[in-house]
C-alpha cells in the first residue's frame, strides 16, 4: 500500500495533442516494454494538464487580481471562492462546477509571481475542494510560465515510443491519471 501511494505522488509528464494525451513517468515504468516510454490515452475531452486556475484566460487572471489579499512588488497573494471563480472561468467551470455549489463553499489560495513587465512567471495554488455530494479533492499545483512572446512547438512522442492505453488494459489506469479524473 505504501509503495502504491508513493507511486501516486510521483510526477507525470503529459503532452496533449489534439484529442490525445501522452503520459509518461515512474508510475508506468514497470508495465511498459523496453524502448517504450509513453502511454497514449486517445479521445480525451480536455488535456489532463489543465491547471486548476488558468491565468491564460483573461477573465480568470482579472478575478485573481481583484481577489488579492496582498500585492508586494511582483508577488500577488489571495484567495478566491469556487462559486465566484466558476462564474468567470470557463475552464474552472467545466472541471469543477460540482465543487462550486458545496456548503461551505470551497476556497482556493494562490500566489502569482509577475515579471517586471507584468507577465505571469509562476502560479502556485492550494485548495480543498468540497463536492456537493460529500467528497473532497485536495489540490496543490505549481505552474511556471516562461518564454513569453516566443513561438514554442511541443511534438508528440515518436510512434515507436508509445503504446495505447487499451494495449495495456488492466496494467495502467483506465483514464489519464490526475486530479481531473
Amino acid at each position: 500500500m505504501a509503495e502504491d501511494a508513493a507511486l501516486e505522488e510521483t510526477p507525470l509528464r503529459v503532452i496533449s495533442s489534439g484529442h490525445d494525451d501522452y503520459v509518461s513517468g515512474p508510475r508506468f515504468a514497470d508495465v511498459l516494454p523496453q524502448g517504450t516510454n509513453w502511454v497514449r490515452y486517445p479521445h480525451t475531452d480536455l488535456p489532463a494538464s489543465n491547471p486548476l486556475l488558468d491565468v491564460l484566460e483573461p477573465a480568470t487572471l482579472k478575478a485573481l487580481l481583484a481577489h488579492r489579499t496582498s500585492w508586494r512588488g511582483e508577488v500577488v497573494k489571495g484567495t478566491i471562492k469556487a462559486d465566484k471563480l466558476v462564474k468567470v472561468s470557463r475552464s474552472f467551470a467545466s472541471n469543477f462546477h460540482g465543487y462550486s455549489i458545496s456548503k461551505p463553499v470551497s476556497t482556493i489560495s494562490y500566489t502569482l509571481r509577475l515579471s517586471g513587465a507584468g507577465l505571469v512567471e509562476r502560479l502556485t495554488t492550494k485548495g480543498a475542494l468540497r463536492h456537493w455530494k460529500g467528497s473532497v479533492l485536495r489540490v496543490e499545483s505549481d505552474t511556471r510560465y516562461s518564454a513569453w512572446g516566443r513561438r514554442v512547438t511541443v511534438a508528440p512522442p515518436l510512434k515507436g515510443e508509445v503504446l495505447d492505453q487499451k494495449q495495456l488494459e488492466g496494467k495502467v489506469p483506465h483514464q489519464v491519471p490526475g486530479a481531473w479524473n
Side-chain angles (χ1 to χ4, degrees):
M1 293 281 282
E3 190 175 300
D4 289 341
L7 275 177
E8 292 287 327
E9 297 295 322
T10 59
L12 293 173
R13 293 180 294 164
V14 179
I15 297 175
S16 296
S17 176
H19 292 285
D20 296 342
D21 285 344
Y22 299 88
V23 184
S24 180
R27 182 176 192 176
F28 300 103
D30 293 341
V31 298
L32 290 171
Q34 189 171 3
T36 306
N37 301 312
W38 296 88
V39 177
R40 183 175 78 99
Y41 287 85
H43 312 295
T44 52
D45 292 334
L46 292 170
S49 58
N50 275 354
L52 177 63
L53 301 175
D54 188 353
V55 295
L56 300 179
E57 289 179 331
T60 302
L61 181 58
K62 183 178 177 180
L64 297 179
L65 293 173
H67 287 88
R68 69 185 180 271
T69 54
S70 72
W71 190 333
R72 289 197 178 107
E74 294 160 350
V75 178
V76 178
K77 293 184 178 187
T79 59
I80 188 166
K81 293 194 179 292
D83 62 341
K84 302 277 188 229
L85 194 54
V86 80
K87 292 177 185 174
V88 298
S89 173
R90 289 179 52 205
S91 63
F92 187 85
S94 69
N95 288 321
F96 299 105
H97 186 269
Y99 295 91
S100 69
I101 56 176
S102 67
K103 301 293 180 207
V105 174
S106 301
T107 302
I108 301 161
S109 60
Y110 58 89
T111 302
L112 267 169
R113 297 188 196 288
L114 306 173
S115 70
L119 299 171
V120 177
E121 289 185 334
R122 186 174 182 182
L123 171 65
T124 55
T125 61
K126 187 174 186 177
L129 304 177
R130 292 168 189 81
H131 196 277
W132 66 273
K133 290 183 178 179
S135 62
V136 176
L137 174 64
R138 296 184 194 291
V139 179
E140 289 185 41
S141 67
D142 186 348
T143 307
R144 295 166 196 250
Y145 301 86
S146 61
W148 285 99
R150 292 176 45 199
R151 187 178 182 100
V152 176
T153 302
V154 179
L158 298 173
K159 288 183 181 185
E161 297 179 352
V162 178
L163 282 179
D164 278 352
Q165 182 275 333
K166 290 206 182 281
Q167 292 175 278
L168 299 165
E169 195 73 45
K171 296 180 182 177
V172 297
H174 180 68
Q175 294 181 319
V176 178
W180 312 164
N181 297 318

